[in-house]
Amino acid sequence: MTRFRLNLITICLAFVVITLGAFVRLSDAGLGCPDWPGCYGHLDVPTAEADVAAANERFSHRPVEAPKAWKEMIHRYAAGTLGLLILAMALLTLKRSSSAHQQKALPWVLLVLVIFQALLGMWTVTLLLKPLIVTAHLLGGMATFALLGWCLFREGALFEGYRTAMRRGLRITAGTALALLVGQIFLGAWTSTNYAAMACPDFPTCQTYWWPPTDWSTAFTLWHGLGINYEYGILDSVPRATIHWAHRLGAVAITIAMLGLAALLWRQGRADHRWRGMALTLIAAVVLQVSIGVSVVVFHLPLPVAVAHNGGAALLLLMLMAINHAVWKARDHV
């Protein structure tokens, strides 16, 4: 198997792991298995009557709920497979290659990142869904996906050779848009992990206010101590609404930034028509993601739509990685 093909398979699996993680979290199955890495002391979900009875006795605070447990374990199996594929990518760098595009360091960085992701997955369970840990776990998954994308673009020599009339301006704009998107992904993760997605059940207002009552200090207190079960959240309605409102404000800012970047890319079409294809793809991705986000509120958090919102964020992140890669590899238009 070629490095490029392995990288392609790995990034597809990473997207599956991200969406599975969202599905587990949004279906309240994050503590479907109260231990780690097994499930009630098993490598799979206990189903035999004697095993279930023993599990219920050992974990009396959280009796076996097989549907939730299977969701969690399938996510763990997929994440474990992803880790093995990234290990294979890293080991392949030890093999000599005449390709000028072969990645040497990045697969090893990814391996370290995925090991840390496994630790965050363990702490997610052992620290009872602490928002800071779950948010870091989600961000780590997005970072893994983004770096796999960068590796794919480099390994396959994709999005290279574009011509531009204003390389520095494009780099600054594309980099700023990427930084804003990372911030917005954090806000989305913080909204989800604090169970604030429906804190503003109306749109475009929030609890009938155009600017709702807020409590920024409580809403963004990252650490509340140990021994607290964060399932279904611990914050009052005002801090939750504050988190949700911050995510909406972030959505406005990132939409403006993305449309500005798209306009700049469109202008570069005079130097290289391929930039206009990127601009149109970016606009379509932004419109789709905003539409899904609005639908989450309007239709009161339907699970498929909420999961799609997470997947859309991942794809938008990959799109921005592609744009930044193209910008940094661009040549001056002559």
Side-chain angles (χ1 to χ4, degrees), residues 40-254:
Y40 293 95
H42 296 257
L43 291 178
D44 59 358
V45 178
T47 54
E49 187 175 339
D51 292 337
V52 171
N56 288 339
E57 183 177 354
R58 182 181 174 188
F59 299 92
S60 57
H61 61 288
R62 190 164 292 275
V64 175
E65 293 183 71
K68 288 187 176 182
W70 272 117
K71 291 174 186 177
E72 173 64 10
M73 286 308 293
I74 290 171
H75 178 235
R76 292 185 191 181
Y77 295 150
T81 304
L82 176 63
L84 292 175
L85 289 178
I86 290 175
L87 174 61
M89 286 178 58
L91 293 176
L92 278 177
T93 65
L94 302 177
K95 183 179 179 180
R96 291 186 178 181
S97 173
S98 58
S99 173
H101 299 287
Q102 182 188 3
Q103 297 300 293
K104 292 289 188 180
L106 191 52
W108 292 99
V109 172
L110 278 162
L111 183 60
V112 172
L113 179 57
V114 81
I115 291 172
F116 184 60
Q117 273 292 93
L119 289 173
L120 287 172
M122 177 185 68
W123 293 331
T124 293
V125 175
T126 58
L127 296 179
L128 304 174
L129 303 181
K130 178 176 278 294
L132 181 61
I133 299 299
V134 181
T135 297
H137 193 42
L138 187 149
L139 292 176
M142 291 290 189
T144 301
F145 185 63
L147 291 178
L148 281 169
W150 191 269
C151 193
L152 184 73
F153 304 148
R154 292 285 302 276
E155 193 73 48
L158 303 176
F159 307 113
E160 294 190 359
Y162 281 57
R163 297 185 302 275
T164 174
M166 48 182 305
R167 182 167 51 182
R168 184 180 179 187
L170 264 179
R171 285 179 177 179
I172 293 173
T173 305
T176 301
L178 179 60
L180 288 173
L181 179 60
V182 171
Q184 179 65 357
I185 290 173
F186 165 79
L187 287 174
W190 196 245
T191 300
S192 178
T193 57
N194 282 280
Y195 298 85
M198 291 309 299
C200 297
D202 46 329
F203 183 86
T205 55
C206 176
Q207 298 180 358
T208 72
Y209 295 98
W210 285 104
W211 189 279
T214 55
D215 182 353
W216 298 95
S217 176
T218 304
F220 290 95
T221 297
L222 300 180
W223 190 263
H224 291 277
L226 298 173
I228 303 171
N229 189 340
Y230 293 90
E231 191 172 24
Y232 307 116
I234 64 169
L235 299 180
D236 294 330
S237 61
V238 172
R240 292 195 200 207
T242 303
I243 294 171
H244 186 112
W245 190 245
H247 186 48
R248 285 197 194 179
L249 294 177
V252 173
I254 194 66

Side-chain angles (χ1 to χ4, degrees), residues 158-171 174 261-283 319-333:
L158 303 176
F159 307 113
E160 294 190 359
Y162 281 57
R163 297 185 302 275
T164 174
M166 48 182 305
R167 182 167 51 182
R168 184 180 179 187
L170 264 179
R171 285 179 177 179
L261 174 59
L264 195 56
L265 290 171
W266 185 264
R267 288 179 57 193
Q268 296 308 301
R270 289 172 289 186
D272 191 324
H273 70 278
R274 291 175 295 179
W275 291 116
R276 291 187 173 175
M278 276 195 171
L280 292 175
T281 304
L282 179 59
I283 292 171
M319 179 68 199
L320 273 184
M321 293 296 288
I323 291 172
N324 275 273
H325 176 77
V327 166
W328 281 92
K329 291 294 182 179
R331 302 192 304 263
D332 288 324
H333 178 58

Side-chain angles (χ1 to χ4, degrees), residues 282-298:
L282 179 59
I283 292 171
V286 171
V287 170
L288 178 62
Q289 183 66 350
V290 171
S291 300
I292 294 173
V294 172
S295 298
V296 168
V297 176
V298 171

